[in-house]
Structure formats: C-alpha cells, structure tokens
Amino acid sequence: MPNQLSSSKKRKTVAEHTAVLALLEQIARAEGMTTTDLIRQAARELVSRHARDKSQEQQLRSIFLAHAPKPPKRMRSPAQVARYKKALREYDAIALDLGLQDAIEIQTRNSIHQSPKRPALTGHL
C-alpha cells in the first residue's frame, strides 16, 4: 500500500500520541497534579540534565540569557516596576532551578553596586 509509512520513518501515528497523552493524564492524576504541570516538570528536568553537560552548557546559557526580562526604558508607575521585578524574580528562580546560573551570578547581575569594595554608609557621621 503506497500510503503506509515504513517503521523507520520519524512520523508517528495520532494513535500513538493519543495513547501517550492518555498515559500522562493517568500519571498526573495519580500524582495529584495537572497534565500540564507534569509536562512542565519533565521539560525542566530534561533542560536541567542537558545544562549539566559541559558541551551544551554555554549554548543553553546564552539562549536562556537572551530571554531575560528587559527593564522598561522609562518606569511610568509603581505597578510597572512591580511587574518587572516580579518577572525578574521568576526568571532568577528558573535559572537556579535549571542549573543555568548560580546564586552569585544572579546577585552580580541584579546588583546596582558593581565595585568590589564594600559600599560606604554615609549616615550618622
């Protein structure tokens, strides 16, 4: 039959994908979570595993850093500042969780004080 795929082809049938999704739904139910949460957890574990591989670490890190939240050019309201800070905190948490950055790198990136010297406090002189 000319329309059949050989077993060596990459394309799989819809039935196979449906079966896998049904299995994921059952596992998610047993774990007490949603299917989306289960898929998200598996994706994070996969990225984390590849991030530990020295040959892929730099490439994954550069892709990740390219998606960092960008501060608005001009902060127009306190709500806009709060939204940016929340996005940055979530981004930093993901960086730690995936193992793409460590806490010192995040602190250095987010710090407004870039000098190696300790800041001098000017109050109560």
Side-chain angles (χ1 to χ4, degrees):
M1 297 168 80
N3 288 337
Q4 285 185 331
L5 293 173
S6 75
S7 60
S8 65
K9 296 285 185 179
K10 294 280 185 189
R11 190 168 58 177
K12 302 294 183 184
T13 65
V14 173
E16 181 180 337
H17 293 302
T18 304
V20 169
L21 289 174
L23 292 170
L24 285 174
E25 286 177 22
Q26 176 58 37
I27 293 168
R29 237 182 274 119
E31 298 270 331
M33 56 191 343
T34 66
T35 307
T36 304
D37 289 339
L38 187 67
I39 292 171
R40 184 179 295 124
Q41 178 185 358
R44 284 183 175 202
E45 288 173 6
L46 179 70
V47 170
S48 179
R49 186 179 60 197
H50 283 275
R52 287 190 297 264
D53 182 11
K54 295 298 179 192
S55 65
Q56 294 181 340
E57 179 184 18
Q58 276 306 104
Q59 182 182 14
L60 293 176
R61 183 182 288 227
S62 65
I63 293 169
F64 183 76
L65 289 174
H67 289 86
K70 307 284 188 274
K73 293 192 186 305
R74 185 171 174 211
M75 300 287 186
R76 299 185 188 277
S77 69
Q80 191 176 22
V81 174
R83 282 191 298 271
Y84 168 70
K85 288 175 72 175
K86 181 180 181 218
L88 193 59
R89 282 191 302 272
E90 290 171 353
Y91 178 82
D92 293 342
I94 291 171
L96 287 172
D97 188 39
L98 296 177
L100 291 169
Q101 291 186 315
D102 60 5
I104 294 171
E105 289 174 306
I106 291 171
Q107 177 65 31
T108 303
R109 186 185 73 231
N110 291 343
S111 178
I112 60 171
H113 184 71
Q114 300 298 328
S115 174
K117 296 180 184 175
R118 295 187 65 173
L121 301 176
T122 57
H124 299 77
L125 291 177

